[in-house]
Amino acid sequence: MDVKKQLLNLKPYQPGKPIEEVKKEYNLSKVVKLASNENPYGCSAEAKQAIQDELNLLAIYPDGYSAALRTNVAKHLGVQEEELIFGNGSDEVVQIICRALLDSSKNTVMATPTFPQYKHNAIIEGAEIREVPLVDGDHNLEAMLQQIDGKTTVVWVCTPNNPTGTYVKKDTLLEFLSKVPKEVLVVVDEAYYEYVVAEDYPQTVGLIEEFPNLMILRTFSKAYGLASLRIGYGIANAELIRKIEPAREPFNTSRLAQVAAIGALNDQEFVAECREKNKKGLQQYYHFCSEKGLHFYPSEGNFVLIDFQRDSDEVFNALLEKGYIVRSGRALGFPTSLRITVGTEKENAEIIEILKDFI
Ligand SMILES: *Cc1c(COP(=O)(O)O)cnc(C)c1O
């Protein structure tokens, strides 16, 4: 049988190497995965307790509208409940947006390199992809504007950008939003929002009334530490949410994910601690890079992209042998760099020691 022709050249997502496999292959007793920007401190105890309390209800379908979580997130953000859409991870919100807005008569504009799921889902919908290279790791919003035409329906801005960690400053984003035609959806993916410390990072939630074509993506996978439960959301004008909702599966977020997310949201102290520790962890890497003269992008996320000026797989393997799984830059569009998730102070120090020995 024939699948859609646009699927023929797509590869399924390539996840990082599983921990168990690496243990066996290299005969290691301890392996640490710092490859997918997961939280090295796990998640809040409140999230775990919430799951315990929900276990007797596993036989019952979840609330398809995520009503309780919706109330909590709306209150936390100061938005209306109708201004939210929940997904099985923000990945699914990306998919819903593509299903709702793209087909073979449309095009979509994004940076490159950036988070790969925008392109992947847009290709499946048959849309034309217009990629605009980053400049010094930053989105080139001027050039992205130039790519917008009458057939553009979605523009993607990933900030902090994965894999560079760079962000779009408040004034730059506001100017961009004011220039994008109102018929074009601007998706601002803020998966790392909770880690950001830059003072000129825009507070976009307050902009959804002024810009009815703005959709913000957030997730519980990163700083909240719930990646395995798959829960993320979009924030936008109520009319826009209402229009895309039919593209969402009825029970797309699980019961456990919903209650855990409420627990996680209630524990802002945990998030603040993680943000503080992450900031210190980034400094460990910056210090190492300055000492060794290695280029890196200052990051507002919980990861750092370091250029080793040699085949990234070599450096990747040197860490792998010692039990650290990171992300080779080769598949990320940076063939001489590694993207390392910031771990605990001890993990960062160990990685830095291995890297020092290697280079
Ligand atoms: C990790 C990540 C996501 C996906 O998050 P989920 O909510 O786990 O699907 C989305 N966008 C970016 C930029 C990410 O790095």
Side-chain angles (χ1 to χ4, degrees), residues 36-37 87-94 114-118 158-162 189-192 217-222 226-228 230-233 303 339:
S36 305
N37 306 338
N88 190 25
S90 52
D91 273 354
E92 197 201 20
V93 186
V94 170
T114 190
F115 187 59
Q117 291 307 303
Y118 319 140
C158 185
T159 174
N161 187 46
N162 184 357
D189 185 348
E190 300 185 344
Y192 301 94
L217 301 184
R218 300 260 178 100
T219 181
F220 286 95
S221 296
K222 304 286 161 62
L226 298 179
S228 67
R230 314 304 304 125
I231 182 108
Y233 57 97
F303 56 90
R339 190 193 68 194

Side-chain angles (χ1 to χ4, degrees), residues 118-139:
Y118 319 140
K119 181 175 179 177
H120 186 94
N121 283 287
I123 287 176
I124 292 174
E125 300 306 329
E128 181 202 338
I129 314 297
R130 298 189 172 178
E131 295 178 286
V132 177
L134 299 173
V135 175
D136 295 330
D138 286 328
H139 277 61

Side-chain angles (χ1 to χ4, degrees), residues 294 306-316 318 328-330 334-338 355-359:
L294 298 171
I306 302 175
D307 189 354
F308 291 89
Q309 302 269 357
R310 64 208 290 170
D311 182 352
S312 67
D313 285 357
E314 287 176 28
V315 198
F316 171 84
S328 169
R330 204 187 262 189
F334 290 92
T336 60
S337 299
L338 288 186
L355 290 172
K356 278 183 180 167
D357 283 346
F358 180 76
I359 59 181

Side-chain angles (χ1 to χ4, degrees), residues 143-345:
M144 287 173 70
L145 265 178
Q146 300 301 316
Q147 289 297 315
I148 295 174
D149 64 17
K151 292 183 172 177
T152 308
T153 49
V154 191
V155 179
W156 308 85
V157 179
C158 185
T159 174
N161 187 46
N162 184 357
T164 51
T166 51
Y167 70 104
V168 178
K169 293 186 172 68
K170 183 180 173 182
D171 293 348
T172 315
L173 186 72
L174 279 172
E175 193 188 330
F176 179 72
L177 286 170
S178 69
K179 288 182 181 169
V180 174
K182 289 288 169 278
E183 315 76 59
V184 179
L185 177 66
V186 179
V187 180
V188 177
D189 185 348
E190 300 185 344
Y192 301 94
Y193 174 82
E194 294 79 10
Y195 283 117
V196 172
V197 293
E199 282 176 11
D200 55 356
Y201 182 86
Q203 294 305 322
T204 46
V205 172
L207 300 174
I208 59 170
E209 302 298 333
E210 187 182 348
F211 298 101
N213 59 331
L214 168 65
M215 163 89 69
I216 303 149
L217 301 184
R218 300 260 178 100
T219 181
F220 286 95
S221 296
K222 304 286 161 62
Y224 287 105
L226 298 179
S228 67
L229 292 175
R230 314 304 304 125
I231 182 108
Y233 57 97
I235 314 154
N237 180 282
E239 195 188 325
L240 174 60
I241 297 284
R242 192 164 54 242
K243 281 187 187 162
I244 67 169
E245 267 281 324
R248 183 179 66 78
E249 296 284 329
F251 300 108
N252 63 328
T253 67
S254 76
R255 189 172 273 286
L256 298 186
Q258 290 177 22
V259 294
I262 295 173
L265 198 64
N266 279 335
D267 192 353
Q268 287 300 317
E269 208 173 304
F270 174 82
V271 178
E273 274 169 27
C274 292
R275 176 167 46 242
E276 267 314 299
K277 290 179 192 160
N278 182 64
K279 200 167 119 186
K280 290 188 182 141
L282 282 170
Q283 292 300 332
Q284 289 176 271
Y285 286 102
Y286 296 169
H287 183 76
F288 157 70
C289 289
S290 309
E291 208 178 274
K292 297 291 170 193
L294 298 171
H295 179 271
F296 65 95
Y297 290 109
S299 172
E300 290 295 319
N302 66 335
F303 56 90
V304 58
L305 189 71
I306 302 175
D307 189 354
F308 291 89
Q309 302 269 357
R310 64 208 290 170
D311 182 352
S312 67
D313 285 357
E314 287 176 28
V315 198
F316 171 84
N317 283 322
L319 286 169
L320 193 64
E321 282 168 19
K322 298 278 163 66
Y324 282 99
I325 311 174
V326 299
R327 200 70 189 228
S328 169
R330 204 187 262 189
L332 305 175
F334 290 92
T336 60
S337 299
L338 288 186
R339 190 193 68 194
I340 304 173
T341 302
V342 175
T344 63
E345 184 181 356

Side-chain angles (χ1 to χ4, degrees), residues 93-107:
V93 186
V94 170
Q95 184 188 32
I96 292 168
I97 291 167
C98 291
R99 284 182 79 175
L101 285 147
L102 296 174
D103 61 35
S104 58
S105 70
K106 307 293 193 323
N107 71 61

